[in-house]
Each structure stands twice: as structure tokens, then as C-alpha cells.
Amino acid sequence: MKDYIKIDEWNIIEEGFDPHLNKISESIFSLGNGRMGQRANFEETYTGETLPGNYVAGVYYPDKTRVGWWKNGYPEYFAKVLNAANWVGIDVKIDYETLDLNHCKVIGFKRILNMKEGYLERSFTAELKSGKQVLINARRFCSIVDDEAGAIRYSITPLNFSGTLSITSSIDGDVKNQDANYDEKFWDEVNKETHHGNAFLTMRTKKTGFHVCTGMKMSIQQDGEPVEFSSTPVEKEKYVANKISLEVKESQETVIFKFAANLSSENHDKENLVQNCKELIERISAKGFALMMQEQAQAWADKWVESDIVIEGDVSAQQAIRFNIFQLNQTYTGEDARLNIGPKGFTGEKYGGSTYWDTEAYCVPFYLATADEQVTKNLLIYRYKQLDKAIENAEKLGFSNGAALYPMVTMNGEECHNEWEITFEEIHRNGAIAFAIFNYIRYTGDESYLNDYGLEVLIAIARFWAQRVNWSEERKQYVMLGVTGPNEYENNVNNNWYTNTIASWSIQYAVKAMEIVQKNAPEKYSSILKKVNFNVESESSKWKHIISNMYYPQDRDLGIFLQQDGYLDKEQILVKDLPASARPLNQKWSWDRILRSCYIKQADVLQGLYFFEENYDIETLRRNFDFYEPRTVHESSLSPCVHSILAAKLGDHERAYEFYVRTARLDLDDYNNDTEDGCHITSMAGTWMSVVEGFGGMRVQNNQLVFNPFLPKQWKSFSFKVGFRGALLTIKVDKEGVQISNQSKQDIQVLVYNKHFEISAHTQILAFNESQK
């Protein structure tokens, strides 16, 4: 665990430069705007340890997988969001000495991620080998107003000399992914052009044929006044630049403004790409850096109005939750239904930047409560538009009649994961997609989504489950063989309780959805059944038989649901009894040893109890939690949040807080020693869930919001905001009770500590937990 980030409510601060921490910081200080993103690589030359990363949403490459492709039905590639052209480059030479923090003395280094206004700032003094000292201040952002653009203000001040300053402002397309399976470069050059103070480079991805035009324009000021300058064009393969030479005086500030844009053929015709890029560059440079910054600050202020969580009495916790919310808002804006959320967002290459079930299981609750409902709806439409591919994926594995298996990992709807036990066995992701549809409708009340999109998806998922189970003559029940549950430290097991549970629930919800559509839109209902060739009599009958006769493993003596058949045959040594030298298991033990152990990577049975909490009494929840948590090593970033929420439900406030801290500062403190390859964006949504659903006790029941909050003893108070069916509420919890303010024009009814309240527009109520008085 690292502990070098300074504690601050609104800023992420690094003081002092440690090259060994640089890749971690490049992840933590990443920027994005939903359309493009960038790791916190330096503008100037840096020859030390670094992981370059510039990403353009929706642009990917099918990198041929290294293993398993010869097996029937196995994906031939792993789709990867690409490291794209580096637009931030501003190389600096001072009288022929290159500014490189790897080869000079660094004094007063400070890096700040301003989360309130959405920008990254870095300052330091560099002493070159000649003894010359130069003060650098760099500020940059990816605009969420002009979401294909970014801007940099790069300031250079000589401290003890006058001389010649050489500046090379570049776009470098000669890049590669460090996770390339065969060390291949994924881009070909299409065209380039360089003019006075600006340049444009168009690249094309191999195989997928995406075109991306990256453009830049620069201007210079000295002592606050514009400077006329001459520039020398530089063109190399996949590279364009402007080189400028300036005379500088001691203590004189020279400022380079660099405006840049990334335009993709996903959003522009290829033949108009360069011209559109030029027009955007002219528009943003005409605004100027100061105005763009003002717009950025206002846009972020608007986002914080909807999504901020305020914690009093614990600055570390305050910083952590805002960091998580900030990265989520940088990653996905919901404006484009073709885009989704990669587990690392725009902060690194791991997991390929592709879509996982994390979106539906962990991210949907955050966006439902903190953004317009269209944002979450677009996440669901993303899956609807890939339904044909999901059906095709299932057909490759021998399923028929419109059964759909959504991919574990995808960019275009086609499965591209390259581990057998996950690709073909971790099929519970189908259920997460069905649950997200249910969750969206439960939260928004928008049943029309079923008519337009949802029912087709639910039918296809139910058809998959109906074919994936088989009837056991011995048990006289339906069983599910050869699966991997959420606990990836178990492979190829029979009757994983969570998978069986969510499969049966998905079929049941499909039946209910058909009834809703038939009632609300009978013509649409008939049209959908005809489109998918649904036989109401035979298929519905089979589905209902499965629902009534599904097998769920359990141990009646212990009063628990069994993670899978045979789980209790494993040697039951609790995590607390493992020597510290054995942790983390995935780095210390062989895979064979892990698979034979009782240890759980993340919530499995408990994932099901989290989803379907209302179906179980509190003692059932407690028995299962007390049995499985001591066997859980939490070696998935998605694990602590679910345990935090369940612990809060059970009144175990100390453990709820312990799990929250573990997830909240996972990346800031590099808890798992893996932040250098990117932040854990989807688990950040779980951090928000830990506060709102855990400490805040928020649920949706019977079409209304329910709150059963408690105040962690480490805090003086906390407050959060949720939007619900047109109302915007601020919920503040302190030692006095719970204050809920309705900041909208719409009246709303809520249930707090089992008491009903009606909150009129622009009013507030105060509630108390009578049992704690």
C-alpha cells in the first residue's frame, strides 16, 4: 500500500517526484471527457518509466489472442481500446540541453488534479547538468464542453540564465499498446500536413479501419503578450510537429498554448474528417484557453450539483469519494449509446478497455441516481443493439432458437475474452444484463423500455437459460453444470447457487415483462412475439416448469446456500488463519492450489443476496454473510463494496466502514499494487454504492425511495444527492438524524426508518431512528 497522495477535499496532490511511483501517478492523475482520455504523461521528453496512454472512445483493434483460438467456438481475438496519437507533446531544449526529468535535478515538484474544475496542473524547477534552472508550470484538461478537444497551457521561466529556447510541439502517432499480444503496432498512417503553428495527422487502425484525425494549433505569449514566431515544420512517419526557437531572458515567462482535437470516423465521414478537425481547432483556439477553462469549471460545477457526496470529519474519506465520482464522470457521459465503460476507463490498457458485466452490476446504480435517466438508458440500448451478436455468440456454442449469450468481454457485441473458464463458463453475466433492465425500470418507472427494447433482450436471455439447464433424473430438478460463478477462484463447478438463482430469476422476469407489455402495449406485444418467433404455449410452459423446479444447493444444518455442489468438501481454513506471506493468493499460490481451496475472490452467494435482498429474511442474510466473508480474500476490486452494503444492512457498522475504506482508496493508496496499469473505474461505482446503499440505506421499494441510514462513528456527517423520477433530493445524515431536502419542483414520497413522509417541492423533512434514541 502506498501513502504519498496528500489529503485534500477537492484535490489530488503529489509533492516531490519519485520515478518509481510515476506510472501509478499517471493512472491516478488521468483525464477524460467521455469521448477521449489521457494518462498523466508529461508533455516534455521523459526517458524514465512511463506508460503512454491516449485513448479515443469506440476505437479498437482485434488483437489476435495468444491462447485457445484453435478450440471450436473460441474467440480469435481480444478487442483493445488503442493507445492513440499522443497530442500533448511539448519537447523543450534549453541551449541544446533537453528538459528530461529523468536526467536532471527536480526541485519542488507538485502535481495537482483539481476535481472541482476538472484539470491537471504540474509545476517544478529543473536544474540541468549545466546548472541552468528553469521553472515549469503546465495545466491541461480534456474539455467536457467540446468533448473532442483538449488544451494545454505550458509555462517556462528561466531562473538563472538568458538563452535560446527550442520548443517542439508534436503529434506522435508512432505508438503501440504495451499489452499487444505480438508486439504489433495497430495504426497505419493515412495522411499528414504541417503548417505554421498547426499540424494534422490522420491514422487508420489495421483490420477495423477506424480513422482518427488528431490536430493541433499553438500560440505563444511572453510577459503576458502575444509573440509572433516562426515555425519549422517537422514530418516523419506517423509524426508531425512545429519546431520553434525563441530568445528568453532570465525571469521572463514564456507560455505555450496548445489546442488539440481527436476526431474519429465513428462520428464524422472519413472524407470530411480533416476539414472538421481544422474547423474544431479554429473554434476552440478562437475561444482561447481562459474561456475554455471557465466553461470547463462551470460544466464540472453542474456535474457536482447532481453527484457530489459531502463528508464532514474525515478529509481522507472526502477526498476518496470525490476521486471516485470524478473518474466515473470523466469516463462516461451517456451521450452516445454506442459507448460503454471499460473497467479501467481512460486510465490504462488492462482489460482492453472493453465492456464487462461490471457496467450492469456496478455502474448502473450510480448513473441512475446521479444523471438523467437517458444516460442509463443508453447503457441498456448498447446491449440491445448488440442482441444479434449475442444470439450469434450462443449459436457458436450450440444454442438455437434465438437464445442469446452476451459476451464476457466485447467492443462490438462479439465475444473476445481469451480465458476458457471465463469466456464459456462465467455465464452469470447474462443475468446481470437482465437485472440491469429490471433495475432501470424499478428506479425510473419507465415500463415503456420493455416495449421498445427490453422484452426482446429478456426473451433471448431466458431462452439461453432454458437451454443451458438440464433435467436431473436423480434430483428430479433442473441443474446447471460446468459453470464459473462470480468467484473466479472456482472453475467448472456444478450448480453455482448464484448462477442458478439469477438464471431462474431472469426467466421469471421475462415472463413478467411479457405480461407487462401485453397489458400496456398489446400491438407491440404481438409484434415482438412474431419477430422472435415465440411459441407462447410451449416456451412459457417450459419456462414456468424450470422456475418451479430449479435446484439450489444449500446446507440445512448450517442454514446457508452452498456456493456450489461440493463446496464443503474443501478444507475450511479461514482467511484470518492464512499466513501473511501467502497473500495475495493470485501472486503466491499456483492456480491448481487456489482452485482446490475454499477461498473466494469476491462476493458470489453474497452477490445474489445483494441483488435479491428482499427475498430473504435478515437471519438468512446474516448466516450467509458470517459464513462466506471469513473465506473471502477480496482479491477483486469489486468485492469490498458488496460486503460493505450487506454489513450495513446487518447493522455491522464497523465492518461496513472497514470495507468502504478498502474500496474508496483502492487506487489512491495503490492497495493491490496494480494501479500503475490504470484505475479501477467500475469498482469506483461500488464505492458510491457503499455510501448511498450502505451507509445511506437507500433502496427502491414499491415505487418509492427508502432510506435506513446510519452515521459512521468516524464522521460528523455525510450527505449525498439522488435524482429520482424527476425529483432531486439531498440526504444529510448526522448525529441529530436525517434531513432530506427536495430541491426540485416535484413533490415526492419517501420512507425513512419505516415512516412515510411526503416532501413538497423546495421543502425538507427531518427524521429520527427511534430504535437508536
Side-chain angles (χ1 to χ4, degrees):
M1 188 173 106
K2 314 298 187 301
D3 185 22
Y4 71 97
I5 298 299
K6 306 302 177 183
I7 302 302
D8 186 274
E9 291 187 351
W10 276 109
N11 300 288
I12 308 300
I13 303 170
E14 176 186 14
E15 292 180 344
F17 180 58
D18 184 343
H20 302 295
L21 298 174
N22 187 50
K23 289 201 288 187
I24 298 170
S25 293
E26 287 177 341
S27 297
I28 291 172
F29 290 85
S30 293
L31 295 172
N33 61 13
R35 186 73 66 184
M36 56 186 272
Q38 173 193 71
R39 286 172 61 82
N41 311 121
F42 298 158
E43 288 87 357
E44 69 276 356
T45 298
Y46 183 65
T47 56
E49 287 189 62
T50 181
L51 176 62
N54 288 271
Y55 311 102
V56 180
V59 176
Y60 69 94
Y61 178 82
D63 194 13
K64 188 173 182 179
T65 187
R66 278 187 173 276
V67 295
W69 55 267
W70 59 88
K71 296 173 184 174
N72 191 32
Y74 207 93
E76 295 185 1
Y77 67 89
F78 191 100
K80 293 173 178 175
V81 170
L82 302 185
N83 188 10
N86 177 15
W87 61 269
V88 304
I90 301 176
D91 293 336
V92 178
K93 285 189 176 182
I94 300 161
D95 292 335
Y96 306 106
E97 285 185 278
T98 298
L99 176 62
D100 180 351
L101 271 63
N102 195 42
H103 293 293
C104 64
K105 183 179 180 181
V106 182
I107 305 166
F109 181 95
K110 192 170 187 178
R111 184 161 24 190
I112 301 174
L113 182 65
N114 185 311
M115 299 181 290
K116 191 172 188 178
E117 298 183 5
Y119 65 84
L120 171 62
E121 187 163 15
R122 183 172 56 103
S123 60
F124 61 91
T125 297
E127 182 174 294
L128 306 178
K129 291 181 179 180
S130 64
K132 293 174 181 175
Q133 292 186 343
V134 60
L135 173 65
I136 303 294
N137 180 273
R139 179 181 288 195
R140 72 183 188 226
F141 59 92
C142 293
S143 172
I144 57 172
V145 176
D146 301 293
D147 64 4
E148 294 172 309
I152 302 171
R153 182 191 186 277
Y154 195 90
S155 163
I156 307 168
T157 305
L159 297 181
N160 62 354
F161 69 94
S162 298
T164 303
L165 191 66
S166 177
I167 302 161
T168 303
S169 177
S170 64
I171 299 171
D172 186 2
D174 192 17
V175 295
K176 68 177 182 180
N177 278 46
Q178 290 196 13
D179 68 347
N181 285 339
Y182 296 92
D183 205 31
E184 180 184 5
K185 292 184 177 179
F186 301 143
W187 295 94
D188 289 324
E189 181 183 300
V190 176
N191 64 272
K192 57 177 174 265
E193 53 183 277
T194 310
H195 311 285
H196 173 60
N198 60 59
F200 300 87
L201 177 66
T202 304
M203 305 288 290
R204 176 182 58 237
T205 59
K206 298 176 181 178
K207 296 184 181 179
T208 45
F210 295 105
H211 285 213
V212 174
C213 180
T214 303
M216 70 168 188
K217 183 175 182 179
M218 60 183 299
S219 61
I220 299 176
Q221 288 183 1
Q222 287 185 327
D223 296 326
E225 297 296 327
V227 172
E228 295 294 330
F229 61 90
S230 299
S231 62
T232 302
V234 181
E235 293 189 356
K236 298 184 290 188
E237 183 181 2
K238 303 180 183 179
Y239 179 93
V240 292
N242 285 172
K243 187 174 182 180
I244 299 158
S245 183
L246 292 171
E247 294 303 311
V248 293
K249 299 176 183 178
E250 184 176 339
S251 301
Q252 180 185 50
E253 183 186 41
T254 299
V255 179
I256 298 99
F257 293 102
K258 184 172 183 178
F259 303 92
N262 282 309
L263 271 65
S264 161
S265 58
E266 282 283 87
N267 307 304
H268 302 267
D269 293 335
K270 292 177 181 178
E271 57 270 22
N272 298 325
L273 201 57
V274 176
Q275 182 58 36
N276 291 355
C277 188
K278 289 179 179 179
E279 291 174 2
L280 177 56
I281 288 288
E282 288 303 313
R283 181 162 60 83
I284 62 173
S285 61
K287 281 186 185 181
F289 189 87
L291 179 56
M292 289 185 73
M293 274 293 304
Q294 290 176 21
E295 293 177 340
Q296 179 83 344
Q298 184 57 56
W300 271 105
D302 294 341
K303 284 186 176 293
W304 287 116
V305 165
E306 295 180 330
S307 59
D308 193 19
I309 290 177
V310 179
I311 297 170
E312 291 185 303
D314 188 339
V315 180
S316 175
Q318 178 67 87
Q319 179 187 50
I321 192 62
R322 281 187 173 139
F323 177 68
N324 286 268
I325 294 169
F326 178 75
Q327 291 291 359
L328 285 163
N329 281 327
Q330 285 199 127
T331 301
Y332 184 76
T333 62
E335 295 177 7
D336 190 336
R338 298 169 300 171
L339 302 178
N340 209 281
I341 304 161
K344 294 285 187 178
F346 293 123
T347 69
E349 296 177 5
K350 193 174 182 182
Y351 304 117
S354 302
T355 304
Y356 286 64
W357 69 290
D358 305 21
T359 293
E360 283 76 21
Y362 295 88
C363 297
V364 158
F366 170 78
Y367 292 107
L368 276 174
T370 65
D372 184 86
E373 68 180 48
Q374 187 63 43
V375 171
T376 304
K377 189 173 184 178
N378 280 344
L379 287 173
L380 303 184
I381 291 173
Y382 175 89
R383 294 293 194 178
Y384 171 78
K385 290 184 175 179
Q386 294 181 352
L387 177 58
D388 289 345
K389 283 288 186 183
I391 293 171
E392 183 181 304
N393 293 334
E395 289 173 346
K396 291 177 181 178
L397 303 183
F399 295 86
S400 60
N401 191 36
L405 175 59
Y406 276 92
M408 186 65 187
V409 176
T410 194
M411 286 298 297
N412 64 359
E414 188 174 26
E415 178 64 76
C416 63
H417 199 275
N418 58 4
E419 294 179 47
W420 175 275
E421 66 275 10
I422 293 176
T423 305
F424 299 106
E425 295 184 348
E426 204 166 324
I427 52 179
H428 61 82
R429 75 255 190 172
N430 245 21
I433 291 166
F435 187 83
I437 295 172
F438 162 77
N439 210 8
Y440 168 78
I441 294 171
R442 173 175 64 177
Y443 199 91
T444 65
D446 179 20
E447 289 187 343
S448 67
Y449 182 80
L450 291 174
N451 314 341
D452 298 332
Y453 308 102
L455 183 56
E456 288 183 54
V457 172
L458 293 170
I459 289 172
I461 288 173
R463 281 172 161 171
F464 171 83
W465 291 124
Q467 294 176 45
R468 186 60 172 79
V469 299
N470 62 272
W471 178 258
S472 166
E473 280 296 330
E474 180 179 352
R475 296 186 186 277
K476 303 299 181 186
Q477 287 178 293
Y478 288 95
V479 296
M480 186 113 56
L481 310 178
V483 303
T484 297
N487 172 30
E488 293 173 342
Y489 287 175
E490 293 273 15
N491 299 155
N492 199 35
V493 302
N494 294 334
N495 295 307
N496 173 261
W497 181 85
Y498 172 71
T499 306
N500 286 19
T501 297
I502 203 161
S504 178
W505 176 88
S506 297
I507 298 171
Q508 190 170 4
Y509 185 54
V511 172
K512 181 179 179 180
M514 292 175 68
E515 294 171 353
I516 292 171
V517 176
Q518 185 178 26
K519 177 183 176 182
N520 294 345
E523 292 184 3
K524 188 70 174 179
Y525 173 76
S526 299
S527 175
I528 292 171
L529 295 196
K530 183 177 180 180
K531 178 181 178 180
V532 303
N533 194 28
F534 190 85
N535 187 311
V536 176
E537 185 175 346
S538 63
E539 290 196 70
S540 294
S541 176
K542 174 71 179 293
W543 287 4
K544 291 175 182 177
H545 195 256
I546 293 170
I547 294 166
S548 300
N549 295 279
M550 180 68 84
Y551 166 66
Y552 305 103
Q554 59 183 304
D555 185 282
R556 296 189 184 279
D557 292 336
L558 294 173
I560 62 168
F561 304 119
L562 284 181
Q563 186 172 269
Q564 71 269 339
D565 287 347
Y567 179 78
L568 291 179
D569 291 336
K570 294 171 174 285
E571 188 176 18
Q572 300 292 319
I573 300 174
L574 302 185
V575 173
K576 69 179 178 63
D577 297 321
L578 279 173
S581 60
R583 306 282 303 276
L585 300 185
N586 58 21
Q587 296 177 23
K588 302 297 181 63
W589 283 15
S590 69
W591 192 241
D592 168 71
R593 187 179 181 187
I594 290 173
L595 293 178
R596 288 186 286 106
S597 78
C598 70
Y599 301 118
I600 301 168
K601 183 182 180 186
Q602 68 187 79
D604 194 303
V605 169
L606 300 185
Q607 182 75 40
L609 295 180
Y610 162 66
F611 274 170
F612 306 117
E613 170 192 293
E614 293 182 50
N615 298 339
Y616 306 100
D617 62 48
I618 196 72
E619 290 309 314
T620 299
L621 296 176
R622 191 183 310 280
R623 285 193 303 271
N624 281 275
F625 185 89
D626 289 345
F627 180 83
Y628 284 109
E629 195 287 319
R631 292 160 172 79
T632 303
V633 290
H634 302 289
E635 289 176 11
S636 165
S637 65
L638 298 175
S639 187
C641 60
V642 172
H643 288 80
S644 179
I645 295 166
L646 288 174
K649 170 73 175 180
L650 295 170
D652 190 342
H653 297 168
E654 287 191 13
R655 279 203 288 183
Y657 192 78
E658 174 190 332
F659 290 125
Y660 164 75
V661 171
R662 191 163 177 169
T663 185
R665 296 194 67 88
L666 179 72
D667 291 307
L668 287 178
D669 294 338
D670 193 24
Y671 196 93
N672 288 339
N673 294 314
D674 59 358
T675 303
E676 67 177 31
D677 56 27
C679 295
H680 299 79
I681 301 300
T682 49
S683 84
M684 290 176 171
T687 304
W688 178 91
M689 289 159 52
S690 296
V691 175
V692 174
E693 298 181 8
F695 308 156
M698 188 185 85
R699 303 290 190 273
V700 178
Q701 296 172 4
N702 300 319
N703 291 309
Q704 70 175 350
L705 287 177
V706 175
F707 298 96
N708 287 289
F710 77 92
L711 179 66
K713 65 182 181 181
Q714 295 85 350
W715 299 351
K716 293 181 180 179
S717 73
F718 72 98
S719 64
F720 58 92
K721 300 172 183 289
V722 294
F724 182 75
R725 303 192 183 187
L728 177 63
L729 304 179
T730 298
I731 298 89
K732 183 175 182 178
V733 183
D734 59 22
K735 293 178 183 178
E736 301 302 317
V738 183
Q739 178 181 293
I740 303 180
S741 302
N742 184 355
Q743 298 173 273
S744 59
K745 300 177 181 178
Q746 181 173 312
D747 299 346
I748 187 172
Q749 292 185 343
V750 298
L751 189 68
V752 187
Y753 297 133
N754 297 316
K755 291 181 64 176
H756 288 275
F757 294 87
E758 180 159 346
I759 313 176
S760 301
H762 302 295
T763 64
Q764 63 186 39
I765 59 101
L766 187 63
F768 305 94
N769 187 351
E770 299 295 336
S771 66
Q772 294 180 2
K773 281 193 171 184

